[in-house]
Amino acid sequence: MDFARRHVHRFTNISEGDTQRYEDVAAGLAEADFVVSVMDAELVFWAVRANVPVLFFDSLLSFWLTERSIEELAARAQLVRWSDDETARFVFDTLTPHERILLAHLLATRSYAQNFPGVAARIDSLTRAGASHIQLCGPIVDRGALDAALSAPAPDRIPDLLINLGGFQNFFLNYESHNAYLDLLRRWVAELAAAQPELRRVLVCGGAFRESVTETHGDVEIEYTMLPHKDFLRHLAHTPLYAVPPSLTSLHEAVILRKLPLLLPEQHYGHVTNLRALRGTAIGDNAASLIDLGTRFKVPEDDLEGTRALDRLTRELLSDEAEYRSFADYLDKRLADYRQLTNQERDAAVDELGGLLGGPALADLLAYVSDRLTPAGKTS
């Protein structure tokens, strides 16, 4: 909804609602030529039940956890598609949130999966279960904004170090209570600025910083802010040093802008799996990871419980001065090693990462299917 409000000029009408409630989507489904769902399995469920074609977009296909086989999920997809309303709803509701995303791929008219290590193999497994409509695609990002950032003039004050902490909030993390990671990084950044005056300006961006705050530590200015996306990309296109947790969208954007980031420690369980998939590459092997601090930083292989554990562990780092010092020294060393990389080493690492993330352009894939989904005489 935030995206729609920021791009209101692209929509004829915007209606708020909860896709878990049929009454909130019924009117839209009755008028729709086709449905577009971005990782919203509920919306796919209702579209299929209403016999409306649906395009499904997923940037995390290799991430979703399931203890059920793909064949069992395919059988459940058939029940959701063809059984009575009560049975279809029961079958859908008994699946975990991750399994519902995989089910949505099986149910969709066409689905698109952003490339990352493990995605191609999962597409193959879904295809063997009968889902021949799933396509691998390249970055699901705003290419127009990225191209504009590359061609735009540099900002007036280019940061010597740009840190991107992302939106941060999810089903467990938030800005008010489960926020130890933010406090941990803010303490480290303040100490870094005091110790390294050559970093004249540090810009820290993220959803937690809707109200900008500027601090001075010695000769270094630190600004905490949340920039409009196009402004953030313009800063990223020109900053010499960039640090970000292993977020897939951030990685795709960095590759397109030819920027090699230092990967910061994991915020949530998804970052654990992303970094694991990147081991053996230059960016993965040079990343900062809590796992490097000892075996107690291994977290449960579960989205919620793994994220809970990471929040607890980062809180412990803040409350134990000796533990914090070990963390800060480790992160200082990772940043120092990153700064020592030559331009040739950075370019090679970006090329290596780009080879793992590339794929057919999403715009080309959509152009191919748009005419086939729109009935004659109607517009989408």
Side-chain angles (χ1 to χ4, degrees):
M1 187 57 68
D2 287 343
F3 175 87
R5 292 194 189 99
R6 290 197 301 269
H7 300 85
V8 64
H9 61 286
R10 298 182 182 273
F11 297 89
T12 302
N13 181 54
I14 299 174
S15 300
E16 291 196 44
D18 183 353
T19 56
Q20 295 185 23
R21 292 162 43 90
Y22 177 68
E23 53 267 37
D24 287 2
V25 298
L29 287 172
E31 299 176 354
D33 298 325
F34 59 91
V35 166
V36 174
S37 172
V38 181
M39 291 194 290
D40 188 334
E42 288 280 352
L43 187 55
V44 174
F45 174 88
W46 296 122
V48 168
R49 295 299 297 173
N51 200 31
V52 178
V54 55
L55 301 181
F56 186 59
F57 297 85
D58 182 4
S59 60
L60 301 171
L61 180 55
S62 61
F63 169 62
W64 309 118
L65 303 173
T66 178
E67 293 184 358
R68 294 180 169 91
S69 68
I70 297 299
E71 290 71 23
E72 181 180 349
L73 291 175
R76 287 173 178 254
Q78 291 304 307
L79 287 172
V80 168
R81 187 184 299 278
W82 301 115
S83 61
D84 60 87
D85 290 346
E86 183 177 356
T87 301
R89 191 69 231 183
F90 175 80
V91 169
F92 185 85
D93 288 344
T94 55
L95 297 175
T96 68
H98 282 214
E99 290 170 339
R100 292 174 195 174
I101 297 289
L102 295 172
L103 190 82
H105 279 284
L106 293 161
L107 289 170
T109 307
R110 297 194 77 86
S111 72
Y112 302 90
Q114 180 176 250
N115 198 7
F116 193 67
V119 170
R122 181 152 265 180
I123 290 176
D124 287 343
S125 68
L126 291 164
T127 300
R128 289 195 300 272
S132 60
H133 56 270
I134 304 172
Q135 289 193 262
L136 179 75
C137 70
I140 302 179
V141 294
D142 189 341
R143 286 303 299 254
L146 288 160
D147 291 340
L150 286 170
S151 60
D156 291 337
R157 301 178 65 219
I158 300 173
D160 295 286
L161 171 61
L162 173 61
I163 298 176
N164 174 16
L165 299 184
F168 185 74
Q169 291 194 118
N170 63 11
F171 53 83
F172 182 75
L173 302 176
N174 58 59
Y175 303 143
E176 294 77 31
S177 56
H178 300 137
N179 59 357
Y181 185 95
L182 299 177
D183 293 339
L184 186 70
L185 265 291
R186 288 193 72 159
R187 178 176 176 184
W188 174 72
V189 169
E191 293 180 355
L192 179 72
Q196 301 190 24
E198 72 275 11
L199 296 175
R200 296 160 299 177
R201 182 167 187 253
V202 178
L203 183 61
V204 185
C205 294
F209 313 121
R210 292 179 181 271
E211 295 184 8
S212 296
V213 175
T214 300
E215 302 174 356
T216 301
H217 296 268
D219 295 328
V220 179
E221 177 187 280
I222 306 171
E223 182 180 0
Y224 296 91
T225 189
M226 186 181 75
L227 296 175
H229 191 230
K230 66 177 183 179
D231 292 337
F232 167 78
L233 292 178
R234 191 157 64 99
H235 281 78
L236 175 55
H238 293 279
T239 188
L241 302 172
Y242 179 46
V244 63
S247 157
L248 296 196
T249 297
S250 298
L251 289 174
H252 280 280
E253 290 177 341
V255 165
I256 293 169
L257 294 177
R258 300 293 301 171
K259 291 292 178 180
L260 177 69
L262 167 67
L263 296 185
L264 294 172
E266 308 87 338
Q267 293 176 346
H268 53 72
Y269 176 74
H271 289 163
V272 173
T273 64
N274 290 348
L275 186 53
R276 184 183 298 152
L278 292 171
R279 290 302 188 188
T281 67
I283 189 172
D285 291 345
N286 286 301
S289 172
L290 293 176
I291 298 298
D292 293 342
L293 299 179
T295 56
R296 76 183 185 91
F297 289 91
K298 291 183 178 179
V299 301
E301 297 294 337
D302 178 83
D303 199 1
L304 175 57
E305 294 307 317
T307 299
R308 285 180 185 270
L310 283 170
D311 178 68
R312 174 180 57 80
L313 290 164
T314 52
R315 196 169 304 282
E316 290 175 2
L317 285 174
L318 278 170
S319 62
D320 186 312
E321 187 62 23
E323 291 282 346
Y324 171 75
R325 288 264 55 91
S326 293
F327 166 80
D329 291 344
Y330 164 75
L331 202 49
D332 287 345
K333 178 64 165 57
R334 283 303 198 199
L335 178 61
D337 291 344
Y338 166 75
R339 294 176 69 179
Q340 290 299 314
L341 294 173
T342 66
N343 290 336
Q344 291 79 9
E345 288 171 328
R346 292 170 189 264
D347 286 342
V350 168
D351 289 339
E352 180 184 38
L353 183 59
L356 297 176
L357 304 183
L362 184 59
D364 294 341
L365 296 175
L366 292 179
Y368 175 78
V369 301
S370 61
D371 292 340
R372 293 161 178 78
L373 288 174
T374 305
K378 299 182 73 176
T379 58
S380 58

